[in-house]
Amino acid sequence: MVADVIIPLPAGRSNRSPIVSESSLSDLIAVAAGRRPADLVLRNGQVVNVVSHEIYAGDVAIAAGRIVGVGPYHGAEVIDIKGRYICPGFIDAHVHIESSMLSVPEFARLVAAHGTTAVVADPHEFANVMGTEGLSFILRTAKHAPIDVYVMLSSCVPASPFECGGTELSAEDLAPFLGNPWVLGLAEVMNYPGVIAAQEEVMHKLHMARDRVIDGHAPGLSGRDLTAYAAAGIMSDHECITAEEAAAKLREGLHIMVREGSQARNLAALVPLITPATADRFMFCTDDKKVQELRSEGQIDHIIRSAIGLGLDPILALRIASHSPARYFGLRRTGAILPGYRADLVVLDDLAGCRVHQVFRRGELIAEDGVCLRPRQPREDHSPMRSSINVHWIEPKDLEIPAPPSEDSSPPLIHVIQVLEHRIDTERLILPAAVTNGRLAADPARDLAKIVVIERHHASGEIGRGFVKGFNLRNGAIASSVAHDAHNLIVVGMNDADMLTAIVRLIKLQGGFVAARDGRVLAEVALPVAGLVSNEPAEALAESMDQVTAAARDLGCTLDQPFMALSFLSLSVIGKLKITTKGLVDVEAFRNLPLFARG
């Protein structure tokens, strides 16, 4: 990331909206007044003004990376837009870059081609695995990015007391990062029970970020609890799945991030709430989106297209994608086509289809016709982190679950996780177990698979075991080192042998995804950077992901996103039943739950 010329600021003032030097400001004024030619003029465009809510013909003049005005200007360089639409660059208000499994520069190249000029990233996954080293990693590698990568400090590491991650981050660990001009505030505060109960460590973090943006994460929260959450200084939420939930949070003053990612898709439910009166309280975000869909669908451009298709006014859709998040995050002079604003611009072939023709960042053409023009950085410049896979020796017996003694021949009842398609929450079932040779076993006929989570940070040997319904595996196993939020190793399968095969291969890969059957690996993806991210180009990674997904489907899996669905089964802060290395978690009661249920 190349910043504007920055003037040192007094202590306590934020540098996140750099100040142009006096000489550059004088030049900008001279160009705006017509006394000097612009550096670049985009001629014959249809300018989308998201502030005045209108579209009009005009030329956009740019100097020193900023918009100087709209009108008849002369420039050292002129690009004929030929009647295309010129709109502000898109901003993703909340994204975990690690979910794309791409390095930060590679992710930025991919989304830049889709009109994104800035993202607000929560490096929650890196932070859970590598701690402050993970936060530093994303800030360091973002320097190679063709877009602006802002960072929100991960607030819940670990996400809950039921998870065993790579580290813990306190307010004292996070505070030094607030001096970085690319750090905007505190990321999604998932520990809403801790907020409501005014737990000491949560209060420390909220106080630390009191003068910054504080994002929320409160699925289903309502009533007095929601009021208490908002009163604590939480400013937004991206977990609304119904219009009623979003409306209640709007009434409490929260900004709503409309999420449309790979696993969670909430746009259709929330669009009816977006009006000219409420648009400034809404933003678009992807949260988690895999590389294949970033390539095939796009990012924020896909959400804009979808929103317009659902009946949202196109100018409102573009406003929510640019000006609204810029104002929320305090990115002054960003997110609109106005004099003095940053020349982060997208040229569209058509408005309703949101087809991106060209993308400019600071007045520089960075993408055209779906291709990023910035060269790919050499792999060594991505600065991979140390290995993060540290697993205690695994034996076949470690996966076994002995059946309890029984006075009759009836099978024991067990708590079972029910996966929901395109959802990160779950349902809780109670079903009779299958028993073979005194051990609980998977049952393909009932779509009952075994699930195991293995601690991978400290070689503690801690293992959680349970059962899950919804994958529809006929045989084999699939495994992942991406397992929100602690990112331990997670495997689901129909027999212990294939589950062990998948886990062993995952360890040898130093993280990734594996599909196995009959003691043989069918397909795999290596994610050696923190067990979360690949060093490969987007095209190669997408091809590998398609192959391992196809292998999972060959095992019978009917889920649209099998590995993403698997990765959220250990997230112990959303849903009814999840599993971590400590066993089953009753998320609603916020306590561990025994595998065996009472009859």
Side-chain angles (χ1 to χ4, degrees):
M1 300 175 296
V2 180
D4 297 283
V5 177
I6 297 176
I7 296 176
L9 298 177
R13 283 189 60 186
S14 170
N15 247 356
R16 61 182 180 273
S17 296
I19 297 174
V20 179
S21 66
E22 288 186 18
S23 59
S24 297
L25 184 59
S26 298
D27 292 341
L28 192 73
I29 293 170
V31 176
R35 296 191 295 268
R36 296 176 59 175
D39 297 336
L40 172 66
V41 174
L42 304 182
R43 184 152 292 164
N44 298 325
Q46 294 291 318
V47 178
V48 181
N49 191 323
V50 296
V51 173
S52 65
H53 198 82
E54 57 184 327
I55 299 174
Y56 43 80
D59 304 338
V60 176
I62 299 167
R66 293 188 177 260
I67 299 163
V68 296
V70 175
Y73 283 95
H74 297 289
E77 180 182 1
V78 175
I79 297 177
D80 189 351
I81 298 301
K82 298 180 180 178
R84 294 182 174 93
Y85 295 89
I86 308 175
C87 59
F90 308 146
I91 300 173
D92 191 329
H94 174 73
V95 61
H96 303 286
I97 293 176
E98 306 96 307
S99 292
S100 72
M101 295 162 290
L102 295 168
S103 67
V104 177
E106 188 67 10
F107 168 85
R109 292 183 75 255
L110 179 54
V111 301
H114 289 278
T116 297
T117 55
V119 298
V120 182
D122 173 8
H124 186 79
E125 325 312 335
F126 281 144
N128 267 279
V129 174
M130 310 298 284
T132 55
E133 182 182 348
L135 296 177
S136 297
F137 175 78
I138 196 168
L139 287 163
R140 182 174 71 248
T141 57
K143 295 176 182 178
H144 300 296
I147 67 173
D148 289 332
V149 179
Y150 297 100
V151 168
M152 298 287 282
L153 298 176
S154 305
S155 66
C156 296
V157 179
S160 82
F162 308 109
E163 301 196 19
C164 181
T167 188
E168 295 183 9
L169 291 180
S170 67
E172 289 74 16
D173 295 320
L174 297 174
F177 288 92
L178 289 175
N180 189 304
W182 296 100
V183 173
L184 303 182
L186 193 63
E188 51 181 325
V189 181
M190 296 186 293
N191 187 4
Y192 57 85
V195 174
I196 296 163
Q199 291 177 357
E200 184 177 12
E201 179 56 33
V202 178
M203 294 302 101
H204 287 331
K205 290 175 182 175
L206 293 176
H207 183 73
M208 173 198 72
R210 63 194 180 279
D211 296 326
R212 299 296 189 96
V213 179
I214 302 177
D215 283 343
H217 173 116
L221 201 63
S222 62
R224 291 290 180 86
D225 286 348
L226 176 58
T227 300
Y229 191 70
I234 312 296
M235 299 167 60
S236 67
D237 184 81
H238 62 270
E239 292 291 339
C240 298
I241 62 175
T242 67
E244 293 75 19
E245 181 181 358
K249 290 174 178 175
L250 280 175
R251 293 187 195 106
E252 298 289 350
L254 297 182
H255 293 252
I256 304 300
M257 295 180 181
V258 181
R259 174 177 56 187
E260 192 77 359
S262 288
Q263 185 69 3
R265 299 175 182 263
N266 312 129
L267 176 67
L270 304 186
V271 158
L273 285 179
I274 303 173
T275 68
T278 63
D280 283 343
R281 310 295 293 186
F282 283 90
M283 295 164 275
F284 291 141
C285 76
T286 55
D287 198 1
D288 299 284
K289 193 157 186 176
K290 64 178 190 174
V291 61
Q292 303 100 301
E293 290 183 353
L294 286 172
R295 293 186 71 229
S296 62
E297 289 183 349
Q299 195 199 22
I300 300 301
D301 59 325
H302 169 69
I303 306 180
I304 295 169
R305 273 191 299 274
S306 301
I308 295 172
L310 290 166
L312 187 62
D313 176 272
I315 302 178
L316 280 187
L318 291 168
R319 178 171 156 190
I320 293 168
S322 55
H323 194 243
S324 292
R327 291 185 67 186
Y328 171 77
F329 286 107
L331 305 177
R332 292 170 292 175
R333 298 191 176 276
T334 300
I337 302 177
L338 297 173
Y341 274 53
R342 290 178 178 174
D344 297 341
L345 304 168
V346 179
V347 178
L348 301 178
D349 284 327
D350 71 285
L351 205 57
C354 196
R355 289 190 293 121
V356 176
H357 174 61
Q358 291 174 317
V359 185
F360 296 84
R361 174 176 175 261
R362 307 288 200 277
E364 176 193 354
L365 182 64
I366 61 169
E368 188 168 26
D369 293 328
V371 177
C372 182
L373 303 179
R374 286 280 189 92
R376 180 174 284 114
Q377 292 291 324
R379 180 177 298 183
E380 57 268 21
D381 286 350
H382 294 174
S383 307
M385 291 183 282
R386 59 181 168 80
S387 169
S388 65
I389 305 295
N390 184 26
V391 179
H392 189 275
W393 185 267
I394 302 292
E395 299 281 357
K397 63 181 177 59
D398 295 323
L399 305 183
E400 296 177 353
I401 306 176
S406 176
E407 296 180 358
D408 54 35
S409 59
S410 61
L413 295 177
I414 56 173
H415 292 109
V416 175
I417 303 169
Q418 173 67 62
V419 176
L420 303 173
E421 182 70 283
H422 292 144
R423 299 263 294 271
I424 63 176
D425 57 336
T426 60
E427 294 291 340
R428 186 175 81 185
L429 305 175
I430 295 178
L431 298 173
V435 180
T436 302
N437 298 325
R439 302 287 185 268
L440 301 196
D443 186 353
R446 291 189 293 149
D447 179 28
L448 191 63
K450 182 184 283 188
I451 185 168
V452 172
V453 183
I454 301 168
E455 196 278 321
R456 63 109 154 176
H457 304 287
H458 312 290
S460 68
E462 191 171 69
I463 300 177
R465 306 167 187 83
F467 288 85
V468 62
K469 187 176 176 66
F471 281 88
N472 285 300
L473 292 174
R474 294 189 301 269
N475 48 45
I478 60 174
S480 170
S481 61
V482 179
H484 303 280
D485 273 339
H487 298 290
N488 289 299
L489 306 185
I490 188 167
V491 56
V492 61
M494 285 301 172
N495 64 81
D496 289 357
D498 285 335
M499 293 173 75
L500 185 62
T501 296
I503 285 293
V504 169
R505 183 55 184 163
L506 205 58
I507 295 169
K508 290 181 178 179
L509 289 174
Q510 291 297 292
F513 302 122
V514 173
R517 179 174 58 200
D518 298 332
R520 177 173 73 88
V521 172
L522 302 180
E524 64 186 33
V525 175
L527 302 176
V529 183
L532 301 170
V533 165
S534 168
N535 278 320
E536 296 299 317
E539 298 81 0
L541 177 60
E543 182 178 347
S544 297
M545 282 302 304
D546 285 341
Q547 291 172 355
V548 78
T549 300
R553 294 208 173 99
D554 189 51
L555 296 176
C557 185
T558 56
L559 291 173
D560 183 45
Q561 311 285 345
F563 288 95
M564 185 163 283
L566 178 62
S567 74
F568 281 105
L569 292 183
S570 57
L571 180 58
S572 59
V573 295
I574 185 169
K576 292 186 177 178
L577 186 63
K578 293 294 179 74
I579 184 170
T580 72
T581 58
K582 300 180 186 299
L584 293 175
V585 178
D586 182 334
V587 181
E588 294 177 313
F590 218 54
R591 62 182 177 86
N592 280 114
L593 190 71
L595 174 61
F596 296 101
R598 295 179 180 178

